[in-house]
Amino acid sequence: IAIAIFFVYVSPVWNGPVASLSAAIKADNDALAASADYVQRENELAAQRDAIDPAELSRAEVMLPDSVDNVSLILDLDALAARSGLQLSDINVAQTKSAPTTSASPVGSADLTLSAIGSYTALQTFLTGIEQSARLLDVTNLSVEGSDTGVYGYKMSIRLYWLR
């Protein structure tokens, strides 16, 4: 009778619903272990982030901000130009694009075109100021219009970057 009960009831139940429940429990345990690893890694990364000096973190945020903020950049460039002796005019922001070349990049960029008038020394001072700026900027194009008076016209394109 015990052998018959085993083959008729116990074996089909053990190999059917019990086996599928056992596999589901194993999958859930694997997912639980993976989530525990994820939480541990998340805590490690949070500890590393908290260990970063706040001053260095704010410098990094200035260098590569999380938004475009064209207005403050234009005001900063205008102040730099005024200190350098250049007069800015005709400032335009071109369409934004991803940078450097892939659309999946976490860094976006925009091209800012501007015209300026001033001496060559003023231009050198302005470009040195851009080079030493805390914000990540690239001068991508520069053209000079000649003059006999020593006051030249400049057209330049500046690429600015931000985190998406």
Side-chain angles (χ1 to χ4, degrees), residues 126-142:
F126 180 74
L127 292 176
T128 301
I130 287 178
E131 178 183 359
Q132 295 173 351
S133 170
R135 178 93 187 248
L136 185 59
L137 301 171
D138 289 335
V139 176
T140 57
N141 191 13
L142 176 64

Side-chain angles (χ1 to χ4, degrees), residues 31-91:
L32 186 60
S35 71
D37 291 342
Y38 174 79
V39 168
Q40 178 184 358
R41 180 67 177 147
E42 181 181 36
N43 290 338
E44 290 171 2
L45 291 173
Q48 288 176 0
R49 181 195 63 222
D50 293 342
I52 297 173
D53 181 20
E56 294 297 322
L57 191 57
S58 77
R59 284 183 61 216
E61 288 172 354
V62 168
M63 182 176 138
L64 198 58
D66 59 0
S67 66
V68 178
D69 197 13
N70 292 339
V71 174
S72 83
L73 176 66
I74 291 170
L75 291 174
D76 291 344
L77 288 175
D78 190 47
L80 175 62
R83 286 191 309 268
S84 302
L86 283 180
Q87 289 181 325
L88 293 184
S89 64
D90 193 27
I91 301 172

Side-chain angles (χ1 to χ4, degrees), residues 11 18 23 29 32 34 39 51 55 61 76 83 100-101 106 117 129 148 150 153 158:
S11 180
V18 172
N29 286 339
L32 186 60
V39 168
E61 288 172 354
D76 291 344
R83 286 191 309 268
T101 56
I117 299 172
D148 293 335
I158 299 173

Side-chain angles (χ1 to χ4, degrees), residues 102-138:
T102 63
S103 62
S105 174
V107 178
S109 70
D111 288 333
L112 182 73
T113 58
L114 55 94
S115 299
I117 299 172
S119 68
Y120 182 72
T121 305
L123 175 69
Q124 286 178 318
T125 306
F126 180 74
L127 292 176
T128 301
I130 287 178
E131 178 183 359
Q132 295 173 351
S133 170
R135 178 93 187 248
L136 185 59
L137 301 171
D138 289 335

